Amino acid sequence: MTDAPETRPPLVSHVSVGVTDIARAAAFYDAVMAVLGARRIMEHEMGVGYGRAFPEFWASRPHDRGVAAAGNGTHICFNAADAAAVDAFHAAGLGAGGVDDGAPGPRPEYAPGYYAAFLRDPDGNKVEAMCWIAPPRAT
């Protein structure tokens, strides 16, 4: 590994959300991760891990075995290849027990060309898929 910025590992190794029912969470995340090109890579009694090559995202019971609760103001955003993948993420999540928290579409208030959709998983955790699209031309 070199010290060049483009060869360093990403800043974030992985993130986790707390869930109350691993099987229910797995059904939801199996559906939304598949359309983003990720898959279930690991699973054990405490949760399931998703990614492309290693588990970058976990849906698991809290390590302290306490009650899982969605964090107010917390959300996880996944990169999507294109707007069609964002749309598919949203549809797959709704079909797997998720709740709409922002339909697919441009979010010019975030940045020109920002396209995203938001869902709440069955435990209330907020997840997003986003991609960059060509921003509208200035007139």
Side-chain angles (χ1 to χ4, degrees):
M1 176 92 46
T2 69
D3 290 331
E6 64 274 8
T7 62
R8 287 186 280 176
L11 177 63
V12 176
S13 169
H14 65 277
V15 295
S16 301
V17 295
V19 299
T20 57
D21 181 327
I22 293 173
R24 181 180 69 177
F28 175 84
Y29 286 108
D30 285 349
V32 299
M33 292 297 176
V35 301
L36 298 176
R39 62 186 171 83
R40 190 187 308 191
I41 292 181
M42 291 183 83
E43 57 187 291
H44 53 67
E45 69 181 47
M46 291 296 287
V48 291
Y50 295 87
R52 294 186 177 104
F54 65 93
E56 301 166 62
F57 175 80
W58 284 89
S60 58
R61 289 190 181 103
H63 186 72
D64 67 1
R65 302 201 187 266
V67 177
N72 185 23
T74 303
H75 85 278
I76 309 299
C77 181
F78 302 106
N79 283 315
D82 53 31
V86 171
D87 296 349
F89 163 89
H90 192 260
L94 293 176
V99 175
D100 174 49
D101 205 29
R107 299 292 194 283
E109 67 275 22
Y110 296 172
Y114 196 106
Y115 187 94
F118 297 87
L119 293 164
R120 295 284 178 162
D121 75 7
D123 284 287
N125 295 298
K126 187 173 187 174
V127 292
E128 171 189 6
M130 72 79 58
C131 69
W132 294 103
I133 60 172
R137 291 181 174 249
T139 56

